[in-house]
Amino acid sequence: MSTISYLAKPSGVCCLEGNIHSGSPRGSFADIADVETYISQPAEGKANGNILLYFPDVWGMFPNGLLIMDAFADAGYLVLGIDYFRGDPVFMHRKHKDDKETDPNFDYEAWKKKHTAFANEAVPKWIEAAKAEYGTPKSKFACVGYCFGAPYVCDALAGKICSAGAFAHPAFLKEHHFRSLKKPLFLSCAEVDHTFDTEDRNKAVDIMREGGKKYHVQLFQEVAHGFALRGNMEDKYERWCKETSLKGIIDWFDLWLGM
């Protein structure tokens, strides 16, 4: 798979590393546009009336992702998370980058190609169905994506439904994703990230600045790709980075959806 034209490269071996976080997800699953979707509701009396669309990383509907969606719900958002891997996340094949026992014949490149093709076709239909089923005349939409989910955030921000978006440690992004933005984008980034390195991150910022886009870049020193979703919560600094990323995204959404 060629990566020459990418600013944020396709998911690599760094995406196979991570820590499973503790906690009990409280949401439920339902189908939206024939795709299984995790739904997390705000607590009674806490809803802000707005809806957050969640695009997962290659680990899909794993505990960390479900807990992050619950955290967004705690902030008042009705959260809808699409499982475009259809029950086939990468951890079913690789528990870590050196795992050759879980699925010895696993072809990571073929896996990415298959699920990217499905997601590219399914996500636009899913967004429209989510709006029709859960939207109200007063509700506004935001979107967030981690790694694999980043291009779907940018695509949504090039359309009319979402008022703001955010991603953390992105993958699969090309120049047009930044040039086509029509709504504000929050970028939560790791300093140690071969997928979205300093040169390409700066180029993305230049594109957004020259195009007059609304954006904010949050950059965390020393942490690596995956920190906002799969960081080590036993490490106080990594925990702080993960929680600060989450808070920054929530504040961003509160700002733009509150206007």
Side-chain angles (χ1 to χ4, degrees), residues 30 52-53 88 92 104 143 157 159 166 203 214 218 239 244 257:
L52 175 59
L53 307 177
D88 182 40
M92 299 290 289
C143 54
L157 297 183
K203 185 172 183 179
K214 297 288 186 184
Q218 182 187 53
R239 174 182 284 274
T244 302
L257 274 66

Side-chain angles (χ1 to χ4, degrees), residues 71 73 125:
K125 299 175 185 177

Side-chain angles (χ1 to χ4, degrees), residues 8-9 146-147 150 167-173 188-189 193 195-196 225:
K9 302 173 185 65
Y146 292 82
C147 187
F167 60 58
H169 37 80
F172 291 95
L173 292 177
S188 188
C189 304
D193 192 344
T195 301
F196 196 42
H225 184 97

